[in-house]
Every structure is written in structure tokens, then in C-alpha cells.
């Protein structure tokens, strides 16, 4: 049986939920469960139903994509204090990448169907949750752009020891 | 240092180390076997390849051992490509050391966060040596290092040695994972966000490509580190190294003379500008 009170406390201490109203957290915790992944376990696979999102409590999760002829490419690693997954917010609710536990990983998973229903019911809570996800998305987009810039590649800067 | 700041002194190459596919280290000793001038962490020398030209290269060795003059650079232009082909026993010209330095004293009693991007680890290595030589006088010491791929991790053996120390936290991330890499993947600013230091009692030193430094400084400030406690090392088209020719003018400053190490609070407004 899910220990809602315990999960509520765990969610409260996670940076993603920092500052969120206690009542809302309690409401959200009703959709939460503790999960554990051994190193190498798949958390989810590309194309699979995005029926959860995860707040990482401990460990490392690698977000990967299969590249024909090159195997799996790791796009980013997520750690303690990160959240994993927003495909559950966007129809058709399918994962767009793979996620694999790189080490023993403990997470709190949040059931997407349960959460979407609660968001439809409580718009204020939905607003606060979406604001948090927007910040995460903006940060990830910024990081992806930085990676695309390939800042450390040899380039056209002054000749010296700094690069590019 | 020679009396005439514009006159290079001949140094012979005692060792060449290939660090990465395009990055190398030169170990130099004066041809005249005289003393090598002391340097402060973060300072640079002008290295001159006769008949090709002169470039500013930060000193990447240990300031406690100035007699071993070490420079690490990447072969990207005419001069550094010519340097790349030099062998032990050949000579180059050296002027310096020049410029401002990483203010080690500013961090006494504080946590020290050293943020390096790519080959920017080279100008920070003397600082790491200086901090570790006085380790007990600082709080936590963190090295946060971002590289392009696992194959582009500079001084990889030394980085591994640092990671093995109990009095130093080293976190490495790569933009693109290749091979069997099982470490962090993502931008170096993510390592700052993860913290592990007391932002209100932290002095940070940042070196890498300018865009990386700008966002790293922003991430440090967002974490709570005072702008006045953040130090950056800038790179511009330095020619004379003594603030005479004006090639490296940056706003109202000369990077060669007033820098290359600047306090973030003093230059934050200039960082987003691309026309200087």
C-alpha cells in the first residue's frame, strides 16, 4: 500500500516541488509511488506509453536515443534533484527517448492518468505544476542549444589556449 | 624577464606531450640556462615561432615550480600549427609572464569552485596547484569540468588523480558521450546547479570559451554566488601584451594588461556584447 504521508514529505523536500502549497502536494502525492531501478534497467522506452513522470531521489538516469549504426547515444544524464519525462503532458503521450538507470536509482514516480485527472479538476494545482515543468523544459532547451553550439570544438576565435 | 618587454628570450623545448588529437604541451627551458621568472596562476607568455608569429598562451604548470615552464595549447592557427610540428631540442621565443592572475587569496576560508570548459582547464591548472598547495586554508574545493567528448578530456590522467583525492571533488561532464563513457552527459552549467558548495561563502574561477563562461557565471549567480566572487579569464587578439598596441581592447580595458583575469562584477555588462 502506498504511504501517502511519506511520499508527501519526500516530494516536499524535492527541489522540483519547492514552495508548492502543502495541500497541493498532498493532492499530488495521491498519484505517487516509490520505485527503484537497478543499474542497466530501462525506466521507459521510446514509443512506449508516457504514463508516468519521475522525480529522481538518488542515482543517475541516462536519456538515450538509438542511432542506426552507432548504437545508443546518451543525450543527457539526470541526477538527484532532477525530474524525468514530460511526454505525459503532451498528446499522444508517448515517450520520445529511452531512459535507462545508469546506476542504482531511486525515484518517485507519478501516475500520469491520475495526475492529468487531478489537473483537470484543480486548475490552480495544474498551473503550479505546469509552471515548474516549463522551467525544466526551458532549462533543457537551453542546455540542448548549448550542446548544439559545440563550444569546445576548434573554431574561429583568437589563436591561444582557450578555444574555440 | 628580459629588460625589453618586447624582446623575446630564446627557450628550448625539453619535452612535447600530445595531450589530445589537436592539443599539445610544451615544456621549456631557457637557452641561456638562466633563471625562469616566477609567474602567478592565470598569467600568460607570448610564445614566438621565428618566421611565423607570436601568440599568447597561458602558463599551465605549477607556480611553485616556475623553473619548469609549461604551456598547453591547441593547434588552430598558423603559429600554433607551427608549434605543433616542433620537436624537443628546437627553440622558440618567450616574452612574459604578463597579465593579471587568479586571486588565490580572495578565496581563503571560502569554498572554491573551479569551472573549466574544454581547453580552458589549462589556464586553471596553475590555480588548482596553488589551491591544493594550501588546501587547509580553504573550505570545499570543487572542479567542475565540461569537455566536448570523453576523448577531449584534457590532462585525463591528472583529472583521474584529482578524482581520487578525498579533499577535492571533481565532476566531469561531456557534451557528447562516445564509446564506453558512463559519466555525466550535459553542459557544465548543470554541474553548477547541482551545487555541493556554500554559495554564500564561495569564490569561483571560470575559464573556457566565452559563451560557456557567460552562462557559467550566470548559473553561479543564480545559485547565490556573489558576482564579485566570480573570476573569469578572457581571451582576445593580444599582440604586444603590454597594453600598447590596442589589439585586445575590450570596452575601456586591455585584456593583455588589465586581464586576462577579470572580476565578473566588473565585466558582466560587456560579456553579452559581440562587437568588442
Amino acid at each position: 500500500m502506498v504511504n501517502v504521508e511519506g511520499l508527501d514529505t519526500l516530494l516536499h523536500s524535492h527541489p522540483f516541488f519547492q514552495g508548492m502549497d502543502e495541500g497541493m502536494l498532498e493532492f499530488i502525492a495521491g498519484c505517487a509511488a516509490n520505485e527503484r531501478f537497478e543499474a542497466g534497467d530501462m525506466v521507459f522506452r521510446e514509443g512506449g506509453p508516457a504514463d508516468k513522470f519521475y522525480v529522481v531521489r538518488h542515482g543517475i538516469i541516462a536519456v538515450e536515443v538509438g542511432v542506426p549504426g552507432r548504437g545508443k547515444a546518451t543525450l543527457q544524464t539526470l541526477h538527484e534533484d532532477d525530474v524525468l519525462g514530460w511526454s505525459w503532458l503532451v498528446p499522444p503521450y508517448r515517450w520520445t527517448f529511452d531512459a535507462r538507470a545508469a546506476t542504482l536509482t531511486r525515484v518517485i514516480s507519478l501516475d500520469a492518468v491520475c495526475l492529468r485527472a487531478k489537473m483537470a479538476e484543480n486548475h490552480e494545482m495544474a498551473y503550479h505544476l505546469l509552471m515548474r515543468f516549463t522551467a525544466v523544459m526551458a532549462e533543457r532547451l537551453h542546455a540542448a542549444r548549448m550542446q548544439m553550439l559545440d563550444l569546445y570544438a576548434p573554431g574561429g576565435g583568437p589563436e591561444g589556449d582557450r578555444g574555440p | 624577464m628580459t629588460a625589453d618587454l618586447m624582446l623575446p628570450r630564446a627557450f628550448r623545448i625539453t619535452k612535447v606531450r600530445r595531450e589530445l588529437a589537436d592539443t599539445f604541451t610544451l615544456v621549456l627551458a631557457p637557452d641561456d640556462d638562466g633563471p625562469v621568472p616566477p609567474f602567478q596562476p592565470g598569467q600568460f607568455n607570448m610564445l614566438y615561432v621565428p618566421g611565423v608569429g607570436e601568440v599568447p598562451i597561458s602558463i599551465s604548470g605549477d607556480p611553485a615550480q616556475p623553473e619548469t615552464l609549461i604551456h598547453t595549447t591547441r593547434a588552430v592557427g598558423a603559429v600554433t600549427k607551427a608549434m605543433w610540428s616542433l620537436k624537443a631540442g628546437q627553440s622558440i621565443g618567450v616574452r612574459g609572464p604578463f597579465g593579471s592572475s587568479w586571486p588565490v587569496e580572495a578565496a581563503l576560508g571560502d569554498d572554491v569552485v573551479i569551472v573549466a570548459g574544454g581547453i580552458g582547464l589549462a589556464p586553471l591548472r596553475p590555480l588548482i596547484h596553488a589551491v591544493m598547495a594550501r588546501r587547509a586554508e580553504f573550505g570545499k574545493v570543487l572542479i567542475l569540468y565540461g569537455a566536448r567528448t570523453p576523448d577531449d578530456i584534457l590532462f585525463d590522467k591528472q583529472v583521474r588523480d584529482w578524482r581520487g583525492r578525498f579533499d577535492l571533488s571533481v565532476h566531469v561532464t561531456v557534451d557528447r558521450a562516445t564509446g564506453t563513457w558512463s559519466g555525466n552527459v550535459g553542459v557544465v552549467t548543470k554541474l553548477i546547479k547541482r551545487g555541493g558548495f556554500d554559495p554564500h561563502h564561495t569564490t569561483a574561477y571560470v575559464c573556457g570559451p566565452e559563451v560557456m563562461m557567460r552562462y557559467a557565471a550566470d548559473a553561479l549567480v543564480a545559485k547565490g554566488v556573489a558576482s564579485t566572487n566570480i573570476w573569469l579569464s578572457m581571451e582576445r587578439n593580444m599582440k604586444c601584451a603590454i597594453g600598447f598596441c590596442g589589439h585586445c581592447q575590450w570596452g575601456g580595458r586591455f585584456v593583455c594588461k588589465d586581464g586576462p583575469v577579470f572580476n565578473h562584477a566588473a565585466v558582466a555588462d560587456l560579456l553579452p556584447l559581440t562587437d568588442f
Side-chain angles (χ1 to χ4, degrees):
Chain A
M1 186 175 165
V2 174
N3 180 346
V4 174
E5 190 181 3
L7 288 169
D8 182 16
T9 309
L10 289 174
L11 288 180
H12 193 263
S13 63
H14 196 281
F16 180 73
F17 291 104
Q18 211 161 46
M20 190 175 253
D21 179 82
E22 301 268 346
M24 285 182 197
L25 271 177
E26 211 173 299
F27 200 46
I28 291 170
C31 301
N34 262 315
E35 288 193 50
R36 168 194 162 112
F37 297 94
E38 299 295 332
D41 284 356
M42 295 303 294
V43 181
F44 54 72
R45 290 180 192 278
E46 182 181 342
D51 51 4
K52 293 177 183 177
F53 85 90
Y54 303 87
V55 293
V56 184
R57 293 178 53 213
H58 171 82
I60 302 173
I61 293 176
V63 179
E64 302 174 328
V65 62
V67 181
R70 279 174 41 196
K72 296 277 184 169
T74 303
L75 301 170
Q76 65 175 158
T77 48
L78 300 175
H79 305 77
E80 192 177 315
D81 295 348
D82 282 326
V83 297
L84 168 67
W86 60 72
S87 297
W88 67 279
L89 280 166
V90 187
Y93 310 125
R94 297 275 165 192
W95 295 120
T96 49
F97 299 112
D98 290 343
R100 181 182 52 81
T103 62
L104 169 67
T105 301
R106 293 187 176 86
V107 299
I108 298 173
S109 66
L110 289 116
D111 183 286
V113 175
C114 168
L115 212 49
R116 284 196 297 259
K118 290 195 176 192
M119 288 168 77
E121 189 184 325
N122 184 334
H123 290 179
E124 194 183 347
M125 184 271 279
Y127 168 79
H128 284 284
L129 201 53
L130 285 173
M131 285 299 284
R132 281 167 168 73
F133 267 103
T134 306
V136 172
M137 289 173 186
E139 185 188 301
R140 302 266 165 93
L141 177 62
H142 183 260
R145 284 172 168 166
M146 295 280 286
Q147 284 169 283
M148 278 172 61
L149 275 174
D150 203 7
L151 289 173
Y152 308 131
E159 205 176 5
D161 55 0
R162 215 60 46 83
Chain B
M1 188 185 291
T2 49
D4 184 346
L5 296 175
M6 292 301 290
L7 187 65
R9 181 179 169 196
F11 275 65
R12 69 180 173 280
I13 298 166
T14 59
K15 196 184 283 183
V16 179
R17 261 197 310 271
R18 302 288 188 224
E19 305 283 0
L20 304 172
D22 60 356
T23 303
F24 61 102
T25 293
L26 299 179
V27 183
L28 305 171
D31 268 0
D32 58 16
D33 291 324
V36 179
F39 70 94
Q40 297 299 313
Q43 287 194 299
F44 68 95
N45 280 318
M46 297 300 293
L47 302 190
Y48 169 60
V49 180
V52 184
E54 196 180 42
V55 285
I57 309 285
S58 296
I59 303 166
S60 62
D62 185 348
Q65 297 173 29
E67 66 281 1
T68 309
L69 187 57
I70 300 176
H71 293 84
T72 302
T73 192
R74 175 185 255 168
V76 290
V79 183
T80 45
K81 280 179 180 167
M83 275 180 201
W84 170 266
S85 62
L86 294 174
K87 293 180 173 55
Q90 292 185 276
S91 291
I92 61 172
V94 176
R95 291 193 294 127
F98 295 115
S100 60
S101 58
W102 300 113
V104 182
E105 304 284 328
L108 290 177
D110 275 1
D111 289 350
V112 175
V113 177
I114 294 166
V115 187
I119 196 175
L121 182 60
L124 284 165
R125 190 167 67 166
L127 171 75
I128 297 168
H129 283 303
V131 167
M132 296 314 287
R134 304 170 61 176
R135 179 64 190 88
E137 297 176 64
F138 304 96
K140 293 177 186 169
V141 179
L142 286 85
I143 300 173
L144 311 178
Y145 179 39
R148 190 184 190 205
T149 73
D151 294 333
D152 296 308
I153 295 172
L154 188 61
F155 308 138
D156 60 335
K157 184 183 176 308
Q158 192 156 32
V159 169
R160 280 199 302 273
D161 289 346
W162 288 333
R163 291 183 86 159
R165 292 185 65 137
F166 294 109
D167 55 356
L168 182 60
S169 296
V170 180
H171 302 282
V172 179
T173 187
V174 298
D175 279 355
R176 283 190 291 128
T178 53
T180 56
W181 176 255
S182 59
N184 299 311
V185 180
V187 291
V188 72
T189 48
K190 182 80 188 300
L191 300 179
I192 295 169
K193 196 182 168 216
R194 276 162 53 191
F197 53 90
D198 175 359
H200 303 296
H201 297 94
T202 286
T203 299
Y205 306 93
V206 186
C207 189
E210 202 164 311
V211 176
M212 167 260 163
M213 289 198 288
R214 197 164 87 214
Y215 288 117
D218 287 349
L220 286 160
V221 169
K223 193 78 187 165
V225 179
S227 179
T228 48
N229 287 354
I230 300 170
W231 299 87
L232 316 172
S233 179
M234 303 303 297
E235 189 173 60
R236 283 291 185 279
N237 193 15
M238 296 189 261
K239 293 289 184 193
C240 72
I242 52 176
F244 189 71
C245 71
H247 277 91
C248 65
Q249 186 169 354
W250 186 40
R253 299 173 178 84
F254 294 111
V255 173
C256 68
K257 187 166 70 76
D258 304 316
V261 175
F262 290 97
N263 185 267
H264 178 251
V267 298
D269 292 346
L270 286 176
L271 286 174
L273 305 178
T274 55
D275 296 334
F276 281 111

